[in-house]
Amino acid sequence: MTYAPPLDEQKFLLRHIVGIDALAAHERFAEATPDLVDAIVDGAGAFAGGTFAPLNRLGDTEGAKWSGAGVTLPAGFRDAYQAYVAGGWNTLSAPAEFGGQGLPLSLATVLMEDLGSANMGFSLVMMLSPGAIEALLHHGSPELQQAWLPKLVSGEWTGTMNLTEPQAGSDVGALKTRADPVGDGSYWIKGQKIFITFGDHDLADNIVHLVLARVPGAPQGTRGISLFLVPKILADGTRNDLRCVSIEHKLGIHAAPTCVMSYGDEDRCVGWLIGDENKGMAAMFTMMNNARLNVGLQGVSIAERASQLAVAYARERVQGAREGRPARIIEHPDVRRMLLRMKALTQAARALTYYAAGRIDRGNLGDAEAKARADLLTPLVKAYGTDVGVEVTSLAVQVHGGMGYVEETGAAQHYRDARISPIYEGTNGIQAADLVGRKLAMDGGGVLRRLLAEMREDSGAEPAIVALIDACGEVAEQLLTADGDDRLAASYPFLTMLATAVAGWLMIRQASSLQADPVPEEFAAMKRGAMRFYLDQIVPEAIGRKASAMAGAAPLYAVSEEAFAA
C-alpha cells in the first residue's frame, strides 16, 4: 500500500501539544502563521509520500552499493534528494543568516516524521545534517560557519558524525584517531571510524564529516577529545585524503550506507578544529542530542507506516467467521487488541516527541525551564520512541500472520528497519543511564519534580496515570540517593515508567482538546479510543515496572559469569 501522511494528527499535535500559535506570537517565529503551518504540513506529506515512498522497496532490495570509486544509491535516489534540496525542505528550522527559514523545530519535526515513514533508510541522510549544523552554530568559528554552513543548510552538502572506532564502541574516550596541528590553523587527521551512516554516497557533491580525534599530548579518556571538520572535497575543489573502505551488510535500512571511513591513509587528510582543543565532548553532545530526538522520531515514523499497512491488511483479509458469516480479521477481538495497541503506542510516542520539540523551541526563545525539560525528555524520546517502533512493527508482522513473515508484504522490512533504532546514537541502555546519571539530578531533582507536579494536577480524574506518576516520583527520590550500580539497575524500568507517564499525560491533554477543536468524527473517535486503551492497558503495565526499578543491583550479580555460560 502507499503511505498516507497523518496530516490531521500532525496538525492537531502542533496546535494542542506543541502550542504552535503561542510560538508564532514571538518575533523569532512570527512567520509560522496558521496558513503557512498547514501548507508546510500538507506539502511535507505530499513530498514524502510522492517522492520518497515509491523508492522504499527498491532501497531495501537493492540498497547502497560499494566499489573502489565510492558508494552509490539505487536509481532515482539522487533525483529524489535533489528534489528535496530544490524544494527548500532542508532549510525549515535552520537560521536565516545562513539561508534557513528560521521556523520552529517542531514544524521541521513533521517533515522528518514523514520522510522516515516514507523511506526510513533514505531519511537518515536528512537526519544527520541538522546535527552537524547545530555543532557548527554553537561551537564553530565565524570563519568555519561562513565557509560551510550555507550549503549544509541548503542541503547541497550533507553532514555526518564520526565518533565510533573498532576498539572503542560506545566508549568514545578510547578513540585513537590523531589530529596533528600543521601550524596554519589546520590539522592532519589520521585514523579509522566505523558505523558512519552515509559516510559516502552519490546524492550530493560534498560531504562534511565531523570527526572526533586527539591532538598530541591530549589527556586520556573523554577529557582529551577534540572535534574537527573534515570535508570530502576541500574548498579549492580537490579531494581530501579520506575514503569509505567498506560498507556493512545489515539486517535493515539497506538504503543507508553504514561506512568504515579511513582518514589519511595515502596523503594528508586536512581538517579544522571546531571549538577548543580537548573540548570536543560538548560539541559531540550538541550533535548527539539533535540526533537522539530524530531517532526517537524514527520509531514513531516506522510505527506509523507499519500501523497503516496492518490496518489495511486487517480490513481486507477474510479469515474465520463471526455470527455465521465469513469475517475479516479486523472483526476478531485479538486482532483489534493488536491494532488498537499499535495506534495507541504510536500516538503516545508521537505526542512525547512533538512535545519535546516544542520545549526545545521555547528554550531557544530563552525559556530556561523549557530547555531543562527538553533535556530531561531527550533520553525518553529516543528510548521510548524506538522501543515503540520495534514493538509496533513486530505487531504488524503478527497481524499479517504467516504473510507478515514473507518479504513481499512489506511488514518484515519495517520490522528489520526498526530494529537498529534502539541501538544507534547511544543504545537505549545508555539513554537510561543518562536519565538517572545526569538528567534526574538537574536542579537537585527539581526539573523532574516540577514536571510530575504539573502532570499530577492535570490528571486527577484518571487514577491509573496518577498512580504511575506517584510511582515515578517514589522511584526518583530513591534513585537520587542510590549508589551507582543501584541507579543503573533501575534505569531502564524507570525510563519506561516515566516515558509512559509523560505520554499518558499528553494523551489526556489531547482528549481534552477535542472538545474545542472541530476535527473529523473518525479522528476524534480514534483519539478517544487510543487514549482509553493507553490509560487502561499500557499505563498499568508501566506501574508493574516499579518493583524492578526498586530492586537494586544485587539480584543482577547473584549469578556468576560462569553460570551465565552454563
Side-chain angles (χ1 to χ4, degrees):
M1 63 165 287
T2 57
Y3 163 63
L7 304 178
D8 289 338
E9 173 82 357
Q10 292 166 335
K11 293 175 184 178
F12 187 82
L13 290 183
L14 288 173
R15 291 194 297 271
H16 300 295
I17 295 302
V18 170
I20 193 75
D21 292 341
L23 290 175
H26 293 262
E27 181 179 359
R28 176 170 176 174
F29 296 136
E31 296 296 320
T33 62
D35 287 347
L36 181 67
V37 168
D38 283 352
I40 287 175
V41 173
D42 291 342
F47 176 79
T51 305
F52 274 41
L55 298 172
N56 185 56
R57 186 65 176 160
L58 178 65
D60 184 58
T61 56
E62 184 172 328
K65 302 295 185 184
W66 179 90
S67 73
V71 177
T72 56
L73 275 293
F77 275 69
R78 181 178 171 87
D79 288 344
Y81 183 78
Q82 293 301 318
Y84 168 81
V85 175
W89 292 111
N90 203 64
T91 69
L92 287 182
S93 61
E97 59 266 36
F98 296 105
Q101 298 183 51
L103 292 166
L105 173 67
S106 43
L107 193 50
T109 297
V110 174
L111 171 68
M112 285 307 303
E113 180 193 342
D114 290 341
L115 296 177
S117 294
N119 196 324
M120 180 175 163
F122 191 12
S123 74
L124 265 67
V125 71
M126 278 66 72
M127 186 196 82
L128 290 167
S129 292
I133 291 168
E134 286 291 304
L136 280 172
L137 281 172
H138 288 91
H139 305 282
S141 68
E143 293 77 15
L144 284 181
Q145 291 175 350
Q146 290 296 330
W148 301 101
L149 275 176
K151 289 193 176 182
L152 280 171
V153 165
S154 71
E156 293 172 78
W157 297 344
T158 67
T160 74
M161 296 187 295
N162 280 239
L163 314 181
T164 307
E165 297 184 7
Q167 79 290 342
S170 297
D171 181 11
V172 295
L175 66 84
K176 296 180 180 179
T177 298
R178 299 200 324 264
D180 295 310
V182 178
D184 61 357
S186 66
Y187 291 73
W188 292 342
I189 311 297
K190 186 171 181 59
Q192 189 177 93
K193 299 288 184 176
I194 63 171
F195 298 154
I196 308 307
T197 302
F198 276 97
D200 193 42
H201 56 78
D202 61 345
L203 303 175
D205 295 333
N206 201 359
I207 304 171
V208 180
H209 300 283
L210 270 58
V211 181
L212 291 182
R214 293 186 183 281
V215 299
Q220 293 298 308
T222 56
R223 294 184 302 113
I225 291 176
S226 303
L227 182 66
F228 298 87
L229 185 150
V230 187
K232 177 179 179 179
I233 306 297
L234 297 168
D236 63 4
T238 60
R239 174 71 182 260
N240 209 357
D241 184 32
L242 61 90
R243 56 191 42 81
C244 170
V245 297
S246 67
I247 60 175
E248 305 297 345
H249 303 281
K250 308 186 298 291
L251 178 68
I253 57 167
H254 297 150
T258 302
C259 301
V260 177
M261 299 297 300
S262 188
Y263 295 87
D265 275 351
E266 299 176 0
D267 199 352
R268 295 168 179 173
C269 179
V270 184
W272 289 267
L273 182 68
I274 297 175
D276 298 324
E277 288 187 352
N278 303 325
K279 300 295 183 182
M281 288 298 289
M284 186 198 82
F285 276 113
T286 299
M287 293 190 292
M288 289 291 286
N289 284 334
N290 183 285
R292 286 170 176 175
L293 186 75
N294 280 324
V295 171
L297 183 64
Q298 281 186 341
V300 176
S301 296
I302 202 70
E304 175 65 35
R305 185 69 182 270
S307 295
Q308 291 188 18
L309 187 67
V311 168
Y313 182 80
R315 294 181 68 187
E316 295 173 357
R317 172 64 169 163
V318 176
Q319 186 167 312
R322 286 179 64 82
E323 300 175 354
R325 57 171 176 79
R328 293 165 298 129
I329 63 172
I330 198 171
E331 300 179 67
H332 298 310
D334 190 56
V335 174
R336 289 220 158 201
R337 174 192 63 81
M338 291 188 285
L339 293 176
L340 196 49
R341 186 177 185 90
M342 294 166 72
K343 297 286 284 190
L345 285 170
T346 303
Q347 289 190 18
R350 180 186 285 114
L352 175 62
T353 306
Y354 278 49
Y355 180 73
R359 294 299 102 184
I360 292 172
D361 284 328
R362 283 165 173 75
N364 289 335
L365 294 172
D367 185 334
E369 182 67 17
K371 181 182 184 305
R373 186 168 291 184
D375 290 343
L376 173 68
L377 294 175
T378 296
L380 275 63
V381 168
K382 195 279 181 184
Y384 190 68
T386 57
D387 282 347
V388 163
V390 171
E391 180 176 351
V392 170
T393 54
S394 178
L395 283 169
V397 173
Q398 192 72 18
V399 169
H400 282 78
M403 293 303 297
Y405 208 66
V406 176
E407 289 287 352
E408 284 74 11
T409 65
Q413 180 192 343
H414 298 149
Y415 184 42
R416 290 186 286 101
D417 285 350
R419 192 58 191 85
I420 184 58
S421 59
I423 298 172
Y424 58 17
E425 306 307 340
T427 66
N428 286 359
I430 290 174
Q431 306 306 313
D434 179 45
L435 173 64
V436 302
R438 295 186 182 92
K439 307 303 173 58
L440 178 61
M442 291 190 301
D443 190 22
V447 175
L448 176 59
R449 292 189 190 101
R450 289 189 290 275
L451 172 60
L452 293 177
E454 182 179 345
M455 292 162 55
R456 190 178 292 108
E457 182 179 351
D458 292 347
S459 307
E462 295 289 348
I465 195 73
V466 171
L468 178 57
I469 293 167
D470 290 343
C472 288
E474 185 179 349
V475 173
E477 295 303 327
Q478 175 172 296
L479 296 182
L480 282 167
T481 58
D483 67 26
D485 276 354
D486 284 343
R487 280 203 311 273
L488 291 173
S491 62
Y492 210 101
F494 176 63
L495 182 148
T496 304
M497 290 172 64
L498 183 58
T500 305
V502 177
W505 166 58
L506 295 174
M507 294 289 273
I508 293 170
R509 285 183 54 179
Q510 293 177 73
S512 300
S513 299
L514 288 170
Q515 301 171 5
D517 196 333
V519 296
E521 179 53 36
E522 293 82 1
F523 175 86
M526 176 48 67
K527 183 65 66 179
R528 294 188 188 98
M531 181 205 72
R532 195 73 268 150
F533 187 95
Y534 196 86
L535 297 182
D536 293 346
Q537 300 201 33
I538 296 174
V539 165
E541 295 171 5
I543 296 173
R545 295 178 183 268
K546 178 183 174 182
S548 179
M550 302 285 274
L556 306 180
Y557 291 91
V559 178
S560 69
E561 292 182 26
E562 291 74 18
F564 274 108

